Amino acid sequence: MPSEKVLESKKAQVAQIVEHLKDATTGVLVDYRGLTVDEDTKLRNDLRAAGVHYYVVKNTLLRLAAKEVGLDALDEILHGPTALAISEDAVAPAKVLADFAKDNEKMQLKSGFMDGRVLSMDELMQLAKTPNKETLIAKMMGSLNSPVSGLVRLLNTIAEGGEEIADLIAKKAADAAPEEAAPAAEEAAPAEEAPAAAEAPAEVAPETTDAE
Protein backbone atom coordinates (compact mmCIF):
# COMPACT_ATOMS: atom_id res chain seq x y z
CA MET A 1 0.00 0.00 0.00
CA PRO A 2 1.41 3.44 -0.98
CA SER A 3 2.65 5.54 1.87
CA GLU A 4 0.96 8.77 2.78
CA LYS A 5 3.93 10.68 1.37
CA VAL A 6 3.57 8.96 -2.02
CA LEU A 7 -0.17 9.64 -2.09
CA GLU A 8 0.36 13.30 -1.32
CA SER A 9 2.96 13.50 -4.08
CA LYS A 10 0.53 12.00 -6.60
CA LYS A 11 -2.23 14.36 -5.52
CA ALA A 12 0.10 17.30 -6.05
CA GLN A 13 1.04 16.03 -9.52
CA VAL A 14 -2.61 15.56 -10.48
CA ALA A 15 -3.42 19.06 -9.22
CA GLN A 16 -0.61 20.48 -11.35
CA ILE A 17 -1.83 18.65 -14.46
CA VAL A 18 -5.36 19.92 -13.77
CA GLU A 19 -4.07 23.49 -13.77
CA HIS A 20 -2.21 22.89 -17.03
CA LEU A 21 -5.33 21.51 -18.69
CA LYS A 22 -7.46 24.41 -17.45
CA ASP A 23 -4.99 27.07 -18.55
CA ALA A 24 -4.30 25.58 -21.98
CA THR A 25 -6.28 26.68 -25.01
CA THR A 26 -5.18 23.56 -26.86
CA GLY A 27 -3.45 20.32 -25.94
CA VAL A 28 -2.14 17.39 -27.98
CA LEU A 29 -1.21 13.91 -26.71
CA VAL A 30 1.41 11.87 -28.53
CA ASP A 31 3.10 8.47 -28.37
CA TYR A 32 6.82 9.18 -28.56
CA ARG A 33 8.11 5.59 -28.58
CA GLY A 34 11.12 4.99 -30.80
CA LEU A 35 12.44 8.55 -30.93
CA THR A 36 16.20 8.88 -30.55
CA VAL A 37 17.71 11.32 -28.10
CA ASP A 38 18.58 13.70 -30.95
CA GLU A 39 15.06 13.51 -32.38
CA ASP A 40 13.49 14.09 -28.99
CA THR A 41 15.81 17.04 -28.37
CA LYS A 42 14.90 18.61 -31.72
CA LEU A 43 11.20 18.14 -31.02
CA ARG A 44 11.46 19.78 -27.62
CA ASN A 45 13.40 22.70 -29.10
CA ASP A 46 10.81 23.21 -31.84
CA LEU A 47 7.97 23.15 -29.32
CA ARG A 48 9.75 25.49 -26.94
CA ALA A 49 10.39 27.96 -29.76
CA ALA A 50 6.66 27.92 -30.54
CA GLY A 51 5.73 28.60 -26.92
CA VAL A 52 4.47 25.07 -26.25
CA HIS A 53 4.91 23.31 -22.89
CA TYR A 54 5.74 19.63 -23.48
CA TYR A 55 6.34 16.85 -20.98
CA VAL A 56 5.92 13.13 -20.46
CA VAL A 57 3.01 12.22 -18.18
CA LYS A 58 1.78 9.04 -16.54
CA ASN A 59 -1.53 7.82 -17.89
CA THR A 60 -2.96 7.17 -14.43
CA LEU A 61 -2.30 10.74 -13.34
CA LEU A 62 -3.53 12.27 -16.60
CA ARG A 63 -6.68 10.14 -16.44
CA LEU A 64 -7.53 11.54 -13.00
CA ALA A 65 -6.79 15.11 -14.07
CA ALA A 66 -8.74 14.78 -17.32
CA LYS A 67 -11.78 13.50 -15.47
CA GLU A 68 -11.65 16.44 -13.12
CA VAL A 69 -11.77 18.98 -15.97
CA GLY A 70 -14.39 17.15 -18.05
CA LEU A 71 -12.08 15.55 -20.61
CA ASP A 72 -13.19 12.00 -19.79
CA ALA A 73 -13.16 11.07 -23.50
CA LEU A 74 -9.35 11.01 -23.36
CA ASP A 75 -9.54 7.86 -21.24
CA GLU A 76 -9.75 5.49 -24.22
CA ILE A 77 -6.39 6.61 -25.66
CA LEU A 78 -4.48 6.67 -22.38
CA HIS A 79 -2.37 3.58 -22.91
CA GLY A 80 1.28 3.23 -23.81
CA PRO A 81 3.77 6.10 -23.42
CA THR A 82 2.10 9.50 -23.42
CA ALA A 83 3.50 13.00 -23.72
CA LEU A 84 1.40 16.12 -23.44
CA ALA A 85 1.92 19.35 -25.40
CA ILE A 86 -0.14 22.36 -24.26
CA SER A 87 -0.22 26.02 -25.14
CA GLU A 88 -2.32 29.17 -25.05
CA ASP A 89 -1.77 29.33 -28.82
CA ALA A 90 -4.65 27.37 -30.36
CA VAL A 91 -2.63 26.14 -33.35
CA ALA A 92 0.99 25.73 -32.22
CA PRO A 93 0.93 22.30 -30.49
CA ALA A 94 -0.91 20.53 -33.33
CA LYS A 95 1.09 22.26 -36.08
CA VAL A 96 4.55 21.60 -34.61
CA LEU A 97 3.78 17.97 -33.71
CA ALA A 98 2.09 17.19 -37.04
CA ASP A 99 4.99 18.70 -38.99
CA PHE A 100 7.47 16.73 -36.90
CA ALA A 101 5.51 13.49 -37.39
CA LYS A 102 5.75 13.87 -41.19
CA ASP A 103 9.50 13.23 -40.99
CA ASN A 104 9.39 10.94 -37.95
CA GLU A 105 6.85 8.17 -38.43
CA LYS A 106 7.75 6.63 -35.08
CA MET A 107 5.90 9.41 -33.28
CA GLN A 108 2.11 9.14 -33.36
CA LEU A 109 -0.50 11.74 -32.51
CA LYS A 110 -3.00 10.12 -30.14
CA SER A 111 -5.60 12.80 -29.44
CA GLY A 112 -6.10 16.43 -28.62
CA PHE A 113 -8.45 18.91 -27.02
CA MET A 114 -9.40 22.54 -27.47
CA ASP A 115 -11.31 24.86 -25.17
CA GLY A 116 -12.37 21.99 -22.90
CA ARG A 117 -13.52 19.65 -25.70
CA VAL A 118 -11.80 16.50 -26.96
CA LEU A 119 -11.09 16.68 -30.71
CA SER A 120 -11.46 13.90 -33.25
CA MET A 121 -8.36 13.01 -35.27
CA ASP A 122 -9.85 14.74 -38.32
CA GLU A 123 -10.38 17.92 -36.32
CA LEU A 124 -6.87 17.68 -34.89
CA MET A 125 -5.29 17.35 -38.35
CA GLN A 126 -7.39 20.21 -39.67
CA LEU A 127 -6.19 22.34 -36.77
CA ALA A 128 -2.60 21.44 -37.68
CA LYS A 129 -3.16 22.87 -41.18
CA THR A 130 -4.42 26.20 -39.86
CA PRO A 131 -1.93 29.11 -40.23
CA ASN A 132 -0.48 30.13 -36.89
CA LYS A 133 -0.87 33.56 -35.37
CA GLU A 134 2.49 34.86 -36.64
CA THR A 135 1.69 33.82 -40.23
CA LEU A 136 -1.73 35.47 -40.13
CA ILE A 137 -0.25 38.69 -38.71
CA ALA A 138 2.50 38.69 -41.37
CA LYS A 139 -0.07 38.32 -44.17
CA MET A 140 -2.20 41.11 -42.73
CA MET A 141 0.77 43.44 -42.33
CA GLY A 142 1.88 42.62 -45.89
CA SER A 143 -1.45 43.77 -47.29
CA LEU A 144 -1.39 46.91 -45.14
CA ASN A 145 2.19 47.73 -46.14
CA SER A 146 1.50 47.76 -49.89
CA PRO A 147 0.35 51.42 -50.12
CA VAL A 148 2.85 52.42 -47.46
CA SER A 149 5.74 51.03 -49.52
CA GLY A 150 4.66 53.21 -52.45
CA LEU A 151 4.74 56.28 -50.24
CA VAL A 152 8.19 55.34 -48.96
CA ARG A 153 9.52 55.05 -52.53
CA LEU A 154 8.09 58.49 -53.39
CA LEU A 155 9.70 60.05 -50.34
CA ASN A 156 13.02 58.41 -51.18
CA THR A 157 12.85 59.84 -54.71
CA ILE A 158 12.26 63.31 -53.34
CA ALA A 159 15.10 63.00 -50.82
CA GLU A 160 17.64 61.50 -53.22
CA GLY A 161 16.75 63.57 -56.31
CA GLY A 162 16.49 66.87 -54.52
CA GLU A 163 13.16 67.62 -56.22
CA GLU A 164 10.45 69.59 -54.54
CA ILE A 165 6.97 68.11 -54.22
CA ALA A 166 5.61 70.96 -56.36
CA ASP A 167 8.07 70.10 -59.14
CA LEU A 168 6.98 66.45 -59.09
CA ILE A 169 3.31 67.44 -59.28
CA ALA A 170 4.01 69.84 -62.15
CA LYS A 171 5.97 67.17 -64.02
CA LYS A 172 3.14 64.67 -63.60
CA ALA A 173 0.61 67.25 -64.82
CA ALA A 174 2.76 68.04 -67.86
CA ASP A 175 3.04 64.34 -68.75
CA ALA A 176 -0.73 63.96 -68.52
CA ALA A 177 -1.54 67.11 -70.57
CA PRO A 178 -0.98 65.60 -74.09
CA GLU A 179 -3.27 62.70 -73.22
CA GLU A 180 -6.06 65.10 -72.16
CA ALA A 181 -5.60 67.35 -75.25
CA ALA A 182 -6.29 64.55 -77.75
CA PRO A 183 -9.85 63.76 -76.58
CA ALA A 184 -10.61 67.50 -76.51
CA ALA A 185 -9.65 67.84 -80.19
CA GLU A 186 -11.84 64.88 -81.11
CA GLU A 187 -14.83 66.41 -79.32
CA ALA A 188 -14.44 69.71 -81.21
CA ALA A 189 -14.65 68.08 -84.69
CA PRO A 190 -18.45 67.38 -84.79
CA ALA A 191 -19.16 71.13 -84.36
CA GLU A 192 -18.29 71.74 -88.06
CA GLU A 193 -20.92 69.23 -89.16
CA ALA A 194 -23.78 71.08 -87.40
CA PRO A 195 -25.12 72.84 -90.56
CA ALA A 196 -25.55 69.52 -92.33
CA ALA A 197 -27.65 68.27 -89.45
CA ALA A 198 -29.81 71.42 -89.71
CA GLU A 199 -30.79 70.63 -93.36
CA ALA A 200 -32.80 67.59 -92.30
CA PRO A 201 -34.88 68.58 -89.27
CA ALA A 202 -37.45 65.86 -89.95
CA GLU A 203 -35.49 63.21 -88.07
CA VAL A 204 -34.13 64.03 -84.66
CA ALA A 205 -32.06 61.39 -82.99
CA PRO A 206 -32.78 60.86 -79.28
CA GLU A 207 -30.19 62.43 -77.06
CA THR A 208 -27.97 59.90 -75.35
CA THR A 209 -25.50 60.22 -72.58
CA ASP A 210 -22.40 58.14 -72.14
CA ALA A 211 -22.43 55.98 -69.04
CA GLU A 212 -19.54 56.76 -66.80
Side-chain angles (χ1 to χ4, degrees), residues 25-183:
T25 300
T26 304
V28 178
L29 288 73
V30 299
D31 184 336
Y32 57 90
R33 277 180 292 191
L35 293 183
T36 65
V37 173
D38 289 341
E39 290 169 341
D40 183 69
T41 299
K42 182 182 184 308
L43 174 60
R44 290 175 181 272
N45 289 339
D46 291 346
L47 290 165
R48 188 179 300 110
V52 180
H53 183 40
Y54 174 84
Y55 60 97
V56 174
V57 61
K58 291 183 178 179
N59 289 326
T60 52
L61 301 180
L62 181 54
R63 183 176 290 109
L64 292 171
K67 185 176 181 179
E68 190 168 332
V69 296
L71 295 174
D72 307 63
L74 290 176
D75 185 74
E76 61 186 44
I77 59 90
L78 293 178
H79 51 79
T82 301
L84 175 63
I86 53 177
S87 175
E88 293 181 0
D89 186 318
V91 177
K95 179 171 289 295
V96 174
L97 290 168
D99 288 345
F100 184 85
K102 291 177 183 177
D103 300 322
N104 299 271
E105 296 181 355
K106 290 172 287 188
M107 193 193 73
Q108 301 294 322
L109 275 66
K110 301 172 72 171
S111 186
F113 62 89
M114 182 176 183
D115 292 331
R117 183 177 70 85
V118 175
L119 303 175
S120 67
M121 285 304 298
D122 287 342
E123 290 173 327
L124 184 60
M125 297 314 297
Q126 189 61 41
L127 183 63
K129 296 176 184 177
T130 304
N132 58 25
K133 180 172 63 177
E134 288 73 18
T135 301
L136 291 174
I137 291 175
K139 288 182 177 180
M140 182 182 70
M141 293 305 296
S143 62
L144 291 176
N145 283 338
S146 296
V148 176
S149 61
L151 176 60
V152 170
R153 285 195 295 271
L154 174 60
L155 294 176
N156 285 338
T157 300
I158 296 171
E160 295 173 5
E163 296 182 88
E164 297 293 337
I165 293 179
D167 294 337
L168 289 176
I169 296 175
K171 183 185 295 183
K172 186 173 182 63
D175 292 341
E179 297 178 1
E180 296 175 357

Side-chain angles (χ1 to χ4, degrees), residues 3-16:
S3 65
E4 184 177 347
K5 186 176 181 179
V6 172
L7 290 174
E8 289 299 321
S9 176
K10 288 185 177 180
K11 286 182 180 179
Q13 293 177 61
V14 170
Q16 186 177 44

